[in-house]
Amino acid sequence: MDLAQKFDKASDALKCIDMHTTGEPTRIIYSGFPQLHGTLLEQRDQAKTKYDNIRKRIMLEPRGHFDMYGAIMITDTELVQSGEAHIGTLFTHNGGFSTMCGHATIALGRFLVDTHDLSVFPKRDELKVDPKTQTVDVNIHAPCGLIRVTVPTTIDGRESDPSRPVTFVSTPAYAAAIRLTIPIPPEKQWAELEGRDSITLDIAYGGAFYALIDAKELGFSGLSKIDLSSIGNVVKGLKAYLEAQPDVIQALQHPEDQRLSFLYSIMVVDQGIGSRPPGAAGAETGLCFFAENSVDRSPTGSCVTARMALAHAKGLRPSDQIWAYNSLVSNRFDTGAFTATIVEEGILLRGDNGPDRQAVLVRVEGKAYYTGALTFIVEKDDVTSESGFTMGECSG
């Protein structure tokens, strides 16, 4: 038996496609993850409680790394059954399972058009090409709700066109807290703060909750030249502190579901710099620390949605205005910025878990590319890689 046959016949084989969006990886797990049951949020709960070792196996070393990101394909959800979605997904990272991810959505959209394996994507044949725009619409059910994705294609619609951007419209986004002042007691202060006893930040929702803080508010000059280790240490301590603040906890209550009500990320922003693609009215840059202080290489699509909603709430971003959002990577290569536009406003979010919210819909666009295909197995007695590890766990 050759190695390829050994991998294919392994009972615990996990099959993946690797892609990147502005340098941020998406490992698409299309076969081998245990079958889950119930609503998508219930399936997310099952994945967290029963199969977290498999998440670690896929994301962490030796198969992945601390900043790996993944999308697990889920063929059966309540929105797939109702016909609203073509497929579901669970987003995963170094710390668990998130509720929304823009960069992974862009990558997943291309893959769903390119695959024609009905055992992988049973509803692939339901996708219809628009001959005028040469695009295909794909509806993806994420834990935050329905994501409407538009993928550029070849004329016959059988393959995605990597030369044109993928676009998506996520669930309604809103500003949860504007100019929130957070006291920083002496024992929580850091050197760059230079003795200031508070910081000001915003909180916004774009499928997940983000605390948005200007780099200068943290005591750094900006994001044009930054010590990632220094700012990363500041953000790591700050996130844990913010999660315990009553005003922050109140802002994080999503009207519809408690399971969406957590602080996913801190986005450090610099509105003074940013690669500006044609057609954009302006540009800015963000440095996103998410999950267990992972650094997003991309401009962070779900946070772009949140930032557009926040800017709109502040009166800074009218509907139909195109704005560009950058990461350190897109600035470095002068390509890969995400652009965004508000396409609908005046949406009322209501529920039993939090106050009503005025929300908007945001269209985000960006490009993703393939990097490889993999099959992962675990050999007998391989304790080291069965659940994966991080070097931080080994050195602590």
Side-chain angles (χ1 to χ4, degrees):
M1 181 184 296
D2 63 22
L3 284 177
Q5 289 177 319
K6 178 178 180 179
F7 289 173
D8 284 340
K9 291 184 177 181
S11 61
D12 59 354
L14 291 155
K15 296 183 179 181
C16 314
I17 292 291
D18 271 12
M19 302 182 72
H20 84 89
T21 313
T22 318
E24 178 68 7
T26 300
R27 176 161 288 167
I28 298 171
I29 300 92
Y30 66 88
S31 178
F33 199 87
Q35 186 173 1
L36 304 170
H37 303 280
T39 68
L40 187 59
L41 281 172
E42 289 171 347
Q43 292 186 59
R44 179 174 175 265
D45 291 340
Q46 289 173 31
K48 290 168 63 176
T49 57
K50 295 181 64 176
Y51 302 114
D52 203 46
N53 65 314
I54 299 179
R55 171 193 65 83
K56 293 177 180 178
R57 184 187 308 169
I58 302 166
M59 293 291 100
L60 305 181
E61 297 185 52
R63 299 171 187 83
H65 53 78
F66 186 78
D67 295 310
M68 179 54 71
Y69 201 93
I72 302 167
M73 293 181 60
I74 306 294
T75 58
D76 185 33
T77 78
E78 67 273 29
L79 294 189
V80 173
Q81 291 176 7
S82 70
E84 296 174 75
H86 295 106
I87 199 162
T89 187
L90 294 178
F91 298 120
T92 184
H93 47 65
N94 67 8
F97 296 85
S98 53
T99 54
M100 172 55 190
C101 180
H103 91 267
T105 294
I106 292 169
L108 189 57
R110 280 199 65 198
F111 174 75
L112 291 171
V113 168
D114 290 335
T115 185
H116 291 268
D117 186 340
L118 297 184
S119 68
V120 171
F121 183 16
K123 290 183 175 288
R124 172 61 182 85
D125 289 347
E126 295 183 12
L127 303 185
K128 304 300 181 184
V129 63
D130 183 331
K132 292 183 179 180
T133 60
Q134 292 184 31
T135 60
V136 166
D137 290 336
V138 188
N139 292 337
I140 300 175
H141 185 191
C144 67
L146 188 66
I147 312 171
R148 295 173 173 85
V149 188
T150 301
V151 182
T153 69
T154 54
I155 294 175
D156 60 8
R158 291 187 61 80
E159 295 182 13
S160 64
D161 177 2
S163 70
R164 294 184 288 151
V166 174
T167 69
F168 71 84
V169 177
S170 184
T171 51
Y174 62 89
I178 296 176
R179 295 196 58 79
L180 189 62
T181 298
I182 303 295
I184 308 295
E187 67 274 14
K188 296 293 182 180
Q189 293 174 13
W190 52 92
E192 291 83 1
L193 202 58
E194 296 182 340
R196 287 189 291 122
D197 61 3
S198 68
I199 60 171
T200 300
L201 55 84
D202 302 308
I203 297 175
Y205 178 81
F209 280 100
Y210 293 83
L212 298 123
I213 310 174
D214 192 284
K216 294 179 180 177
E217 193 69 21
L218 296 177
F220 296 88
S221 60
L223 295 178
S224 59
K225 292 183 179 180
I226 196 73
D227 183 335
L228 276 176
S229 178
S230 295
I231 198 169
N233 287 334
V234 169
V235 169
K236 184 176 182 179
L238 180 60
K239 185 183 179 189
Y241 176 69
L242 291 178
E243 289 172 328
Q245 299 306 298
D247 288 345
V248 174
I249 294 171
Q250 182 177 5
L252 296 176
Q253 300 311 303
H254 191 281
E256 297 175 337
D257 202 306
Q258 176 61 31
R259 290 170 292 187
L260 302 175
S261 304
F262 63 95
L263 181 61
Y264 177 57
S265 164
I266 290 180
M267 171 68 84
V268 183
V269 299
D270 185 338
Q271 297 180 340
I273 63 170
S275 176
R276 184 171 168 181
E284 59 192 72
T285 297
L287 178 58
C288 177
F289 294 88
F290 68 93
E292 299 298 320
N293 225 38
S294 183
V295 178
D296 197 336
R297 276 69 172 161
S298 84
T300 312
S302 48
C303 193
V304 165
T305 300
R307 290 159 80 183
M308 285 291 284
L310 177 65
H312 182 72
K314 290 182 174 182
L316 302 174
R317 198 78 68 244
S319 294
D320 299 326
Q321 184 184 66
I322 301 172
W323 204 259
Y325 293 88
N326 285 274
S327 64
L328 299 187
V329 175
S330 69
N331 283 339
R332 165 66 176 81
F333 292 97
D334 196 25
T335 187
F338 292 175
T339 56
T341 312
I342 294 170
V343 294
E344 186 176 344
E345 53 187 315
I347 299 169
L348 181 63
L349 279 182
R350 311 189 81 165
D352 298 328
N353 189 62
D356 295 353
R357 298 290 190 177
Q358 288 291 328
V360 297
L361 290 181
V362 180
R363 182 175 61 238
V364 180
E365 67 175 40
K367 294 181 178 180
Y369 299 93
Y370 291 98
T371 56
L374 313 98
T375 299
F376 293 130
I377 64 170
V378 180
E379 290 195 292
K380 183 180 179 181
D381 300 326
D382 182 6
V383 177
T384 305
S385 87
E386 199 281 332
S387 291
F389 65 91
T390 66
M391 284 303 295
E393 294 170 337
C394 298
S395 61

